[in-house]
Amino acid sequence: MRKYCKAYHLEDLRRYPRWQEHPVDTNTSALTDETIVYLWDDFTVVESPVLQQGNLFDTVTPEWKTFCTETLNFAIPEDLQYAYQVE
């Protein structure tokens, strides 16, 4: 279950060498580098954190995870780590 996401400009994620967006079927305008998108804790990317739409990017590989953590500095904040503890 997804618990945490962080907003990024699409241009930041597009720096990933193997970035390939899935076609987005929405009534919104085309995605630009300035579009805000959301990176989830499962390393998938969506346009909206609340609307149930398809993933913009879901090719989760070790290289993608490394890019997210090292280049984008993506991490679950310490004050939310409790939500990931197994009981």
Side-chain angles (χ1 to χ4, degrees):
M1 173 181 2
R2 294 174 172 172
K3 299 177 184 175
Y4 174 77
C5 67
K6 185 174 178 182
Y8 289 92
H9 283 105
L10 189 52
E11 71 178 323
D12 295 330
L13 281 66
R14 285 176 170 167
R15 293 188 323 204
Y16 178 62
R18 295 189 178 133
W19 177 263
Q20 284 191 310
E21 295 165 23
H22 293 299
V24 179
D25 185 26
T26 65
N27 294 326
T28 61
S29 58
L31 299 176
T32 67
D33 283 347
E34 291 77 35
T35 300
I36 301 293
V37 295
Y38 299 87
L39 176 61
W40 279 101
D41 53 10
D42 65 357
F43 294 92
T44 58
V45 179
V46 297
E47 244 190 298
S48 170
V50 293
L51 297 177
Q52 295 295 324
Q53 298 172 330
N55 292 329
L56 186 60
F57 181 86
D58 60 4
T59 308
V60 180
T61 63
E63 295 82 12
W64 170 244
K65 289 181 179 181
T66 299
F67 175 83
C68 292
T69 57
E70 293 181 6
T71 303
L72 301 176
N73 297 314
F74 179 78
I76 308 301
E78 288 205 23
D79 60 341
L80 295 179
Q81 289 292 328
Y82 72 90
Y84 292 86
Q85 295 175 353
V86 177
E87 295 184 24

Coordinates of all heavy atoms in Angstrom, one line a residue:
M1 N 0.8 -1.2 0.0 CA 0.0 0.0 0.0 C 0.9 1.2 0.0 O 1.9 1.3 0.7 CB -0.9 0.0 1.2 CG -1.6 1.3 1.3 SD -2.8 1.9 2.5 CE -3.1 1.0 3.7
R2 N 0.6 2.2 -0.9 CA 1.3 3.4 -0.9 C 1.0 4.3 0.3 O -0.2 4.4 0.7 CB 0.9 4.2 -2.2 CG 1.3 3.5 -3.5 CD 0.8 4.3 -4.6 NE 1.3 3.8 -5.9 CZ 0.9 4.3 -7.0 NH1 -0.1 5.2 -7.1 NH2 1.4 3.8 -8.1
K3 N 2.0 4.8 0.9 CA 1.8 5.6 2.1 C 2.4 7.0 2.0 O 2.0 8.0 2.6 CB 2.5 5.0 3.3 CG 1.9 3.6 3.6 CD 2.6 3.0 4.8 CE 2.1 1.6 5.0 NZ 2.8 0.8 6.0
Y4 N 3.4 7.2 1.1 CA 4.1 8.5 1.0 C 4.5 8.8 -0.4 O 4.9 7.9 -1.2 CB 5.4 8.4 1.9 CG 6.3 9.7 1.7 CD1 5.9 10.9 2.4 CD2 7.4 9.7 0.9 CE1 6.7 12.0 2.3 CE2 8.2 10.8 0.8 CZ 7.8 12.0 1.5 OH 8.6 13.1 1.3
C5 N 4.3 10.1 -0.8 CA 4.8 10.5 -2.1 C 5.4 11.9 -1.9 O 5.1 12.6 -1.0 CB 3.7 10.5 -3.1 SG 2.4 11.7 -2.9
K6 N 6.2 12.3 -2.9 CA 6.9 13.6 -2.9 C 6.7 14.2 -4.3 O 6.8 13.5 -5.3 CB 8.4 13.4 -2.6 CG 9.1 14.7 -2.4 CD 10.5 14.5 -2.0 CE 11.3 15.8 -1.9 NZ 12.6 15.6 -1.5
A7 N 6.5 15.5 -4.3 CA 6.3 16.2 -5.6 C 7.6 16.6 -6.2 O 8.5 17.0 -5.5 CB 5.4 17.4 -5.3
Y8 N 7.6 16.5 -7.5 CA 8.8 16.9 -8.3 C 8.4 17.6 -9.6 O 7.3 17.3 -10.1 CB 9.7 15.7 -8.7 CG 10.4 15.1 -7.5 CD1 9.9 14.0 -6.8 CD2 11.7 15.5 -7.2 CE1 10.5 13.4 -5.8 CE2 12.4 15.0 -6.1 CZ 11.8 13.9 -5.4 OH 12.5 13.3 -4.4
H9 N 9.2 18.4 -10.1 CA 9.0 18.9 -11.5 C 9.3 17.7 -12.4 O 10.3 17.0 -12.2 CB 9.8 20.1 -11.8 CG 9.3 21.4 -11.2 ND1 9.9 22.0 -10.1 CD2 8.3 22.1 -11.6 CE1 9.2 23.1 -9.8 NE2 8.2 23.2 -10.7
L10 N 8.5 17.6 -13.4 CA 8.7 16.5 -14.4 C 10.1 16.5 -15.0 O 10.7 15.5 -15.3 CB 7.6 16.5 -15.5 CG 7.6 15.3 -16.4 CD1 7.6 14.0 -15.7 CD2 6.4 15.4 -17.3
E11 N 10.6 17.7 -15.2 CA 12.0 17.8 -15.8 C 13.0 17.1 -15.0 O 14.0 16.6 -15.5 CB 12.4 19.3 -16.0 CG 12.7 20.1 -14.8 CD 13.1 21.5 -15.1 OE1 13.8 21.8 -16.1 OE2 12.7 22.4 -14.3
D12 N 12.9 17.1 -13.7 CA 13.9 16.5 -12.8 C 13.8 15.0 -13.0 O 14.9 14.3 -13.1 CB 13.6 16.8 -11.3 CG 13.8 18.2 -11.0 OD1 14.6 18.9 -11.6 OD2 13.0 18.7 -10.1
L13 N 12.7 14.4 -13.2 CA 12.6 12.9 -13.4 C 13.0 12.6 -14.8 O 13.5 11.5 -15.1 CB 11.1 12.5 -13.1 CG 10.8 12.3 -11.6 CD1 10.8 13.6 -10.9 CD2 9.5 11.5 -11.5
R14 N 12.8 13.5 -15.7 CA 13.1 13.2 -17.1 C 14.7 13.2 -17.3 O 15.1 12.8 -18.4 CB 12.5 14.3 -18.1 CG 11.0 14.1 -18.3 CD 10.5 15.2 -19.1 NE 9.1 14.9 -19.5 CZ 8.2 15.8 -20.0 NH1 8.6 17.0 -20.2 NH2 7.0 15.4 -20.4
R15 N 15.4 13.5 -16.3 CA 16.9 13.4 -16.4 C 17.4 12.0 -16.3 O 18.5 11.7 -16.7 CB 17.5 14.3 -15.3 CG 17.3 15.8 -15.5 CD 18.1 16.6 -14.5 NE 18.2 15.9 -13.2 CZ 18.4 16.6 -12.1 NH1 18.6 17.8 -12.1 NH2 18.4 15.9 -10.9
Y16 N 16.5 11.1 -15.8 CA 16.8 9.7 -15.8 C 17.0 9.2 -17.2 O 16.1 9.3 -18.0 CB 15.7 8.9 -15.0 CG 16.0 7.5 -15.0 CD1 17.1 7.0 -14.3 CD2 15.1 6.6 -15.6 CE1 17.3 5.6 -14.2 CE2 15.3 5.2 -15.5 CZ 16.4 4.7 -14.8 OH 16.6 3.4 -14.7
P17 N 18.2 8.6 -17.5 CA 18.5 8.2 -18.9 C 17.5 7.3 -19.5 O 17.3 7.3 -20.7 CB 19.8 7.5 -18.8 CG 20.4 8.0 -17.5 CD 19.3 8.3 -16.6
R18 N 16.8 6.4 -18.7 CA 15.8 5.5 -19.3 C 14.4 5.9 -19.0 O 13.5 5.0 -19.0 CB 16.1 4.1 -18.7 CG 17.5 3.6 -19.1 CD 17.6 2.1 -18.8 NE 18.9 1.7 -19.3 CZ 19.8 1.0 -18.6 NH1 19.5 0.6 -17.3 NH2 20.9 0.6 -19.1
W19 N 14.2 7.2 -18.8 CA 12.8 7.7 -18.6 C 11.9 7.5 -19.8 O 12.3 7.9 -20.9 CB 12.9 9.1 -18.2 CG 11.5 9.7 -18.0 CD1 10.8 10.4 -18.9 CD2 10.7 9.6 -16.8 NE1 9.6 10.8 -18.4 CE2 9.5 10.3 -17.1 CE3 10.9 9.0 -15.6 CZ2 8.5 10.4 -16.1 CZ3 9.9 9.2 -14.6 CH2 8.7 9.9 -14.9
Q20 N 10.8 6.8 -19.6 CA 9.8 6.7 -20.7 C 8.4 6.9 -20.1 O 8.0 6.0 -19.3 CB 9.9 5.4 -21.4 CG 11.1 5.3 -22.4 CD 11.0 4.1 -23.3 OE1 10.8 3.0 -22.8 NE2 11.1 4.3 -24.6
E21 N 7.7 7.9 -20.4 CA 6.4 8.1 -19.9 C 5.4 7.3 -20.6 O 5.4 7.1 -21.8 CB 6.0 9.6 -20.1 CG 6.9 10.5 -19.3 CD 6.7 12.0 -19.7 OE1 5.7 12.4 -20.3 OE2 7.7 12.8 -19.5
H22 N 4.4 6.8 -19.8 CA 3.3 6.1 -20.4 C 2.3 7.2 -20.9 O 2.2 8.3 -20.3 CB 2.6 5.3 -19.3 CG 3.4 4.1 -18.8 ND1 3.8 3.1 -19.7 CD2 3.8 3.8 -17.6 CE1 4.5 2.2 -19.0 NE2 4.5 2.6 -17.7
P23 N 1.6 6.9 -21.9 CA 0.7 7.9 -22.4 C -0.4 8.2 -21.3 O -0.8 7.3 -20.6 CB 0.0 7.3 -23.6 CG 0.9 6.2 -24.0 CD 1.7 5.8 -22.8
V24 N -0.7 9.5 -21.2 CA -1.6 9.9 -20.1 C -2.9 10.2 -20.8 O -3.0 11.0 -21.7 CB -1.1 11.1 -19.4 CG1 -2.1 11.6 -18.3 CG2 0.2 10.8 -18.7
D25 N -4.0 9.6 -20.4 CA -5.3 9.8 -20.9 C -6.1 10.7 -20.0 O -6.9 10.2 -19.2 CB -6.0 8.4 -21.1 CG -7.4 8.6 -21.8 OD1 -7.5 9.6 -22.6 OD2 -8.2 7.8 -21.6
T26 N -5.9 12.0 -20.1 CA -6.6 12.9 -19.2 C -7.1 14.1 -20.1 O -6.7 14.2 -21.2 CB -5.7 13.5 -18.1 OG1 -4.6 14.3 -18.8 CG2 -5.1 12.4 -17.3
N27 N -7.9 14.9 -19.5 CA -8.4 16.1 -20.2 C -7.6 17.3 -19.9 O -8.0 18.4 -20.2 CB -9.9 16.3 -19.8 CG -10.8 15.2 -20.2 OD1 -10.6 14.6 -21.3 ND2 -11.8 14.9 -19.5
T28 N -6.4 17.1 -19.2 CA -5.6 18.2 -18.9 C -4.6 18.5 -20.1 O -4.6 17.7 -21.1 CB -4.7 17.9 -17.7 OG1 -3.9 16.7 -18.0 CG2 -5.6 17.6 -16.5
S29 N -3.9 19.6 -20.0 CA -3.0 19.9 -21.1 C -1.8 19.0 -21.1 O -1.6 18.2 -20.2 CB -2.5 21.4 -20.9 OG -1.9 21.5 -19.7
A30 N -1.0 19.1 -22.1 CA 0.2 18.2 -22.3 C 1.1 18.4 -21.1 O 1.2 19.5 -20.5 CB 0.9 18.5 -23.6
L31 N 1.9 17.4 -20.8 CA 2.8 17.5 -19.7 C 4.1 18.2 -20.2 O 4.6 17.9 -21.3 CB 3.2 16.1 -19.3 CG 2.1 15.2 -18.7 CD1 2.6 13.8 -18.4 CD2 1.5 15.8 -17.5
T32 N 4.5 19.2 -19.4 CA 5.7 19.9 -19.7 C 6.7 19.7 -18.6 O 6.4 19.1 -17.6 CB 5.4 21.5 -19.8 OG1 5.0 21.9 -18.5 CG2 4.2 21.7 -20.8
D33 N 7.9 20.2 -18.8 CA 8.9 20.1 -17.8 C 8.5 20.7 -16.5 O 9.0 20.3 -15.4 CB 10.3 20.7 -18.3 CG 11.0 19.9 -19.3 OD1 10.7 18.7 -19.4 OD2 12.0 20.4 -19.9
E34 N 7.7 21.7 -16.5 CA 7.2 22.4 -15.3 C 6.1 21.7 -14.6 O 5.7 22.1 -13.5 CB 6.8 23.8 -15.6 CG 8.0 24.7 -16.0 CD 8.5 24.5 -17.4 OE1 7.6 24.2 -18.3 OE2 9.7 24.6 -17.7
T35 N 5.5 20.6 -15.2 CA 4.4 19.9 -14.6 C 4.9 19.3 -13.3 O 6.0 18.7 -13.2 CB 3.9 18.8 -15.6 OG1 3.4 19.4 -16.8 CG2 2.8 18.0 -14.9
I36 N 4.1 19.4 -12.3 CA 4.3 18.7 -11.0 C 3.8 17.3 -11.1 O 2.6 17.1 -11.4 CB 3.7 19.5 -9.8 CG1 4.2 20.9 -9.7 CG2 3.9 18.7 -8.5 CD1 5.7 21.1 -9.4
V37 N 4.6 16.3 -10.7 CA 4.2 14.9 -10.7 C 4.7 14.4 -9.3 O 5.4 15.0 -8.6 CB 4.8 14.1 -11.8 CG1 4.3 14.6 -13.2 CG2 6.4 14.1 -11.8
Y38 N 4.2 13.2 -9.0 CA 4.4 12.6 -7.7 C 5.1 11.3 -7.7 O 4.7 10.4 -8.4 CB 3.1 12.5 -6.9 CG 2.4 13.9 -6.8 CD1 1.7 14.4 -7.8 CD2 2.7 14.7 -5.7 CE1 1.1 15.7 -7.8 CE2 2.1 16.0 -5.6 CZ 1.4 16.4 -6.7 OH 0.8 17.7 -6.6
L39 N 6.2 11.2 -7.0 CA 7.0 10.0 -6.8 C 6.6 9.3 -5.6 O 6.7 9.8 -4.5 CB 8.5 10.3 -6.8 CG 9.5 9.1 -6.6 CD1 9.3 8.1 -7.7 CD2 10.9 9.7 -6.5
W40 N 6.0 8.0 -5.7 CA 5.5 7.3 -4.6 C 6.6 6.5 -3.9 O 7.7 6.2 -4.5 CB 4.4 6.4 -5.0 CG 3.1 7.1 -5.1 CD1 2.5 7.5 -6.3 CD2 2.2 7.4 -4.1 NE1 1.3 8.1 -6.0 CE2 1.1 8.1 -4.6 CE3 2.2 7.3 -2.7 CZ2 0.0 8.6 -3.9 CZ3 1.2 7.8 -1.9 CH2 0.1 8.4 -2.5
D41 N 6.4 6.0 -2.7 CA 7.3 5.2 -2.0 C 7.6 3.9 -2.7 O 8.6 3.2 -2.4 CB 6.8 5.0 -0.6 CG 5.4 4.4 -0.5 OD1 4.9 4.0 -1.5 OD2 4.9 4.4 0.6
D42 N 6.8 3.4 -3.6 CA 7.1 2.2 -4.4 C 7.8 2.6 -5.7 O 8.0 1.7 -6.5 CB 5.8 1.4 -4.7 CG 4.8 2.2 -5.6 OD1 5.1 3.3 -6.0 OD2 3.8 1.6 -5.9
F43 N 8.2 3.8 -5.8 CA 9.0 4.3 -6.9 C 8.3 4.5 -8.2 O 8.9 4.5 -9.3 CB 10.4 3.6 -7.1 CG 11.3 3.7 -5.9 CD1 11.3 2.8 -4.8 CD2 12.1 4.8 -5.8 CE1 12.1 3.0 -3.8 CE2 13.0 5.0 -4.8 CZ 13.0 4.1 -3.7
T44 N 7.0 4.4 -8.2 CA 6.2 4.7 -9.4 C 5.9 6.2 -9.4 O 6.0 6.9 -8.3 CB 4.9 3.9 -9.4 OG1 4.1 4.2 -8.2 CG2 5.2 2.4 -9.5
V45 N 5.5 6.7 -10.5 CA 5.3 8.2 -10.7 C 3.9 8.4 -11.3 O 3.5 7.7 -12.2 CB 6.3 8.8 -11.7 CG1 6.0 10.3 -11.8 CG2 7.7 8.6 -11.1
V46 N 3.1 9.3 -10.7 CA 1.8 9.6 -11.1 C 1.6 11.1 -11.3 O 2.4 11.9 -10.8 CB 0.7 9.1 -10.1 CG1 0.8 7.5 -10.0 CG2 0.9 9.7 -8.7
E47 N 0.5 11.5 -12.0 CA 0.2 12.9 -12.2 C -0.5 13.5 -11.0 O -0.3 14.6 -10.7 CB -0.7 13.0 -13.4 CG 0.0 13.8 -14.5 CD -1.0 14.1 -15.6 OE1 -1.6 13.2 -16.2 OE2 -1.3 15.3 -15.8
S48 N -1.3 12.7 -10.3 CA -2.1 13.2 -9.2 C -1.9 12.2 -8.0 O -2.1 11.0 -8.2 CB -3.5 13.4 -9.6 OG -4.3 13.6 -8.4
P49 N -1.7 12.7 -6.8 CA -1.6 11.8 -5.7 C -3.0 11.3 -5.2 O -3.1 10.4 -4.4 CB -0.9 12.6 -4.6 CG -1.3 14.0 -4.9 CD -1.4 14.1 -6.4
V50 N -4.1 11.9 -5.7 CA -5.4 11.6 -5.2 C -6.3 11.0 -6.2 O -7.2 10.2 -5.9 CB -6.1 12.8 -4.5 CG1 -5.4 13.2 -3.3 CG2 -6.2 13.9 -5.5
L51 N -6.2 11.3 -7.5 CA -7.0 10.8 -8.5 C -6.5 9.4 -9.0 O -5.3 9.2 -9.1 CB -7.0 11.7 -9.7 CG -7.6 13.1 -9.5 CD1 -7.5 13.9 -10.8 CD2 -9.1 13.0 -9.1
Q52 N -7.4 8.5 -9.2 CA -7.0 7.1 -9.6 C -6.8 7.1 -11.1 O -7.7 6.8 -11.9 CB -8.1 6.1 -9.2 CG -8.2 6.0 -7.7 CD -7.0 5.4 -7.0 OE1 -6.3 4.5 -7.6 NE2 -6.7 5.9 -5.8
Q53 N -5.6 7.4 -11.5 CA -5.2 7.4 -12.9 C -4.1 6.4 -13.0 O -3.5 6.0 -12.0 CB -4.8 8.7 -13.4 CG -5.9 9.8 -13.3 CD -5.4 11.2 -13.7 OE1 -4.3 11.5 -13.4 NE2 -6.3 12.0 -14.2
G54 N -3.7 6.1 -14.2 CA -2.6 5.2 -14.4 C -1.3 5.8 -14.1 O -1.2 7.0 -13.8
N55 N -0.3 4.9 -14.0 CA 1.1 5.4 -13.7 C 1.7 6.1 -14.9 O 1.6 5.6 -16.0 CB 2.0 4.3 -13.2 CG 1.6 3.7 -11.9 OD1 1.1 4.4 -11.0 ND2 1.8 2.4 -11.8
L56 N 2.4 7.2 -14.6 CA 3.1 7.9 -15.6 C 4.4 7.2 -15.9 O 4.9 7.1 -17.0 CB 3.4 9.3 -15.2 CG 4.0 10.3 -16.2 CD1 3.1 10.5 -17.4 CD2 4.2 11.6 -15.5
F57 N 5.0 6.6 -14.9 CA 6.2 5.8 -15.0 C 6.2 4.7 -14.0 O 5.9 4.9 -12.8 CB 7.4 6.7 -14.8 CG 8.7 6.0 -14.9 CD1 9.4 5.9 -16.1 CD2 9.4 5.5 -13.8 CE1 10.6 5.3 -16.3 CE2 10.6 4.8 -13.9 CZ 11.2 4.7 -15.2
D58 N 6.4 3.4 -14.4 CA 6.4 2.3 -13.4 C 7.5 1.3 -13.7 O 7.3 0.1 -13.3 CB 5.0 1.7 -13.4 CG 4.5 1.1 -14.7 OD1 5.3 1.2 -15.7 OD2 3.4 0.7 -14.8
T59 N 8.5 1.7 -14.4 CA 9.6 0.8 -14.7 C 10.6 0.9 -13.5 O 11.6 1.6 -13.6 CB 10.3 1.1 -16.0 OG1 9.3 1.2 -17.0 CG2 11.3 0.1 -16.4
V60 N 10.3 0.2 -12.4 CA 11.1 0.2 -11.2 C 12.2 -0.8 -11.3 O 12.0 -2.0 -11.3 CB 10.2 0.0 -10.0 CG1 11.0 0.1 -8.7 CG2 9.0 1.0 -9.9
T61 N 13.4 -0.2 -11.4 CA 14.6 -1.1 -11.5 C 15.6 -0.6 -10.4 O 15.4 0.5 -9.8 CB 15.3 -0.9 -12.9 OG1 15.7 0.5 -13.0 CG2 14.4 -1.3 -14.0
P62 N 16.6 -1.4 -10.1 CA 17.6 -0.9 -9.1 C 18.2 0.5 -9.6 O 18.5 1.3 -8.7 CB 18.6 -2.0 -9.1 CG 17.9 -3.2 -9.5 CD 16.9 -2.7 -10.5
E63 N 18.4 0.6 -10.9 CA 19.0 1.9 -11.4 C 18.1 3.1 -11.1 O 18.5 4.2 -10.8 CB 19.3 1.8 -12.9 CG 20.4 0.8 -13.2 CD 19.9 -0.7 -13.3 OE1 18.7 -0.9 -13.3 OE2 20.8 -1.5 -13.3
W64 N 16.8 2.9 -11.3 CA 15.8 3.9 -11.1 C 15.8 4.3 -9.6 O 15.7 5.4 -9.2 CB 14.4 3.5 -11.6 CG 13.3 4.4 -11.2 CD1 12.2 4.1 -10.3 CD2 13.1 5.7 -11.6 NE1 11.4 5.1 -10.2 CE2 11.9 6.2 -10.9 CE3 13.8 6.6 -12.4 CZ2 11.4 7.5 -11.1 CZ3 13.2 7.9 -12.5 CH2 12.1 8.3 -11.9
K65 N 15.8 3.3 -8.7 CA 15.8 3.5 -7.3 C 17.0 4.3 -6.9 O 16.9 5.2 -6.1 CB 15.7 2.2 -6.5 CG 14.4 1.5 -6.6 CD 14.3 0.2 -5.8 CE 13.0 -0.4 -5.9 NZ 13.0 -1.7 -5.0
T66 N 18.2 4.0 -7.5 CA 19.4 4.7 -7.2 C 19.3 6.1 -7.6 O 19.7 7.0 -6.9 CB 20.6 4.0 -7.8 OG1 20.7 2.7 -7.3 CG2 21.9 4.7 -7.6
F67 N 18.8 6.3 -8.8 CA 18.6 7.7 -9.3 C 17.7 8.5 -8.4 O 18.0 9.7 -8.0 CB 18.0 7.7 -10.7 CG 17.6 9.0 -11.3 CD1 18.6 9.8 -11.9 CD2 16.3 9.5 -11.2 CE1 18.3 11.0 -12.4 CE2 16.0 10.8 -11.7 CZ 17.0 11.5 -12.3
C68 N 16.6 7.9 -7.9 CA 15.7 8.6 -7.1 C 16.3 8.9 -5.7 O 16.2 10.1 -5.2 CB 14.4 7.7 -6.8 SG 13.4 7.5 -8.3
T69 N 17.0 8.0 -5.1 CA 17.6 8.3 -3.8 C 18.9 9.1 -3.9 O 19.0 10.0 -3.0 CB 17.9 6.9 -3.1 OG1 18.8 6.2 -3.9 CG2 16.7 6.2 -2.8
E70 N 19.7 8.9 -4.9 CA 21.0 9.7 -5.0 C 20.8 11.0 -5.7 O 21.4 12.0 -5.3 CB 22.1 8.8 -5.6 CG 22.4 7.6 -4.7 CD 23.5 6.8 -5.2 OE1 24.1 7.1 -6.3 OE2 23.8 5.7 -4.6
T71 N 20.1 11.0 -6.8 CA 20.0 12.3 -7.6 C 18.9 13.2 -7.1 O 19.1 14.4 -7.0 CB 19.8 11.9 -9.1 OG1 20.9 11.1 -9.5 CG2 19.8 13.2 -9.9
L72 N 17.7 12.5 -6.9 CA 16.6 13.3 -6.4 C 16.5 13.5 -4.9 O 15.7 14.2 -4.4 CB 15.3 12.7 -6.9 CG 15.1 12.5 -8.4 CD1 13.8 11.8 -8.8 CD2 15.2 13.9 -9.1
N73 N 17.3 12.7 -4.2 CA 17.3 12.7 -2.7 C 16.0 12.3 -2.1 O 15.5 12.8 -1.1 CB 17.8 14.1 -2.2 CG 19.2 14.4 -2.5 OD1 20.1 13.6 -2.4 ND2 19.4 15.6 -3.0
F74 N 15.3 11.3 -2.8 CA 14.1 10.8 -2.3 C 14.3 9.9 -1.2 O 15.1 9.0 -1.2 CB 13.3 10.1 -3.5 CG 12.0 9.5 -3.1 CD1 10.9 10.3 -3.0 CD2 11.9 8.2 -2.8 CE1 9.7 9.8 -2.6 CE2 10.7 7.6 -2.4 CZ 9.6 8.5 -2.3
A75 N 13.5 10.1 -0.1 CA 13.6 9.3 1.1 C 12.3 9.5 1.9 O 11.7 10.6 1.9 CB 14.8 9.6 1.9
I76 N 11.9 8.4 2.6 CA 10.8 8.6 3.5 C 11.3 9.4 4.7 O 12.3 9.1 5.3 CB 10.3 7.2 4.0 CG1 10.1 6.2 2.9 CG2 9.1 7.3 4.9 CD1 9.1 6.7 1.9
P77 N 10.6 10.5 5.0 CA 11.0 11.3 6.2 C 11.1 10.5 7.5 O 10.2 9.6 7.7 CB 9.9 12.4 6.3 CG 9.3 12.4 4.9 CD 9.4 11.0 4.4
E78 N 12.0 10.8 8.3 CA 12.2 10.1 9.6 C 10.9 10.1 10.4 O 10.6 9.1 11.0 CB 13.4 10.6 10.4 CG 14.7 10.3 9.7 CD 15.8 10.2 10.7 OE1 15.6 10.1 11.9 OE2 16.9 10.4 10.2
D79 N 10.2 11.2 10.4 CA 9.0 11.2 11.2 C 7.8 10.4 10.7 O 6.8 10.2 11.4 CB 8.5 12.7 11.5 CG 8.2 13.4 10.2 OD1 8.6 13.0 9.1 OD2 7.5 14.4 10.3
L80 N 8.0 9.8 9.5 CA 7.0 8.9 9.0 C 7.5 7.4 8.9 O 6.7 6.5 8.4 CB 6.6 9.3 7.5 CG 5.9 10.7 7.5 CD1 5.6 11.0 6.0 CD2 4.6 10.7 8.3
Q81 N 8.7 7.2 9.4 CA 9.2 5.8 9.3 C 8.4 4.8 10.1 O 8.3 3.7 9.7 CB 10.7 5.8 9.9 CG 11.7 6.5 9.0 CD 11.9 5.7 7.7 OE1 11.8 4.5 7.6 NE2 12.2 6.4 6.6
Y82 N 7.7 5.3 11.1 CA 6.9 4.4 11.9 C 5.8 3.7 11.1 O 5.4 2.6 11.3 CB 6.2 5.1 13.1 CG 5.1 6.1 12.6 CD1 3.8 5.6 12.5 CD2 5.4 7.4 12.2 CE1 2.8 6.4 12.0 CE2 4.3 8.2 11.8 CZ 3.1 7.7 11.7 OH 2.1 8.5 11.2
A83 N 5.3 4.3 10.0 CA 4.3 3.8 9.2 C 4.8 2.6 8.4 O 4.0 1.8 7.8 CB 3.8 4.8 8.2
Y84 N 6.1 2.4 8.3 CA 6.7 1.3 7.5 C 7.2 0.2 8.4 O 7.7 -0.8 7.9 CB 7.8 1.8 6.7 CG 7.3 2.7 5.6 CD1 7.1 4.1 5.8 CD2 6.9 2.2 4.3 CE1 6.6 4.9 4.8 CE2 6.4 3.1 3.3 CZ 6.2 4.4 3.6 OH 5.7 5.2 2.6
Q85 N 7.1 0.3 9.7 CA 7.5 -0.7 10.6 C 6.6 -1.9 10.6 O 5.4 -1.7 10.6 CB 7.7 -0.2 12.0 CG 8.8 0.9 12.1 CD 8.8 1.5 13.5 OE1 8.0 1.2 14.3 NE2 9.8 2.4 13.7
V86 N 7.1 -3.1 10.5 CA 6.3 -4.3 10.6 C 6.0 -4.6 12.0 O 6.9 -4.7 12.9 CB 7.0 -5.5 9.9 CG1 6.2 -6.8 10.0 CG2 7.4 -5.1 8.5
E87 N 4.8 -4.9 12.3 CA 4.4 -5.2 13.7 C 4.4 -6.7 13.9 O 4.2 -7.5 13.1 CB 3.0 -4.6 13.9 CG 3.0 -3.1 13.9 CD 1.6 -2.5 14.2 OE1 0.9 -3.2 14.9 OE2 1.4 -1.4 13.8

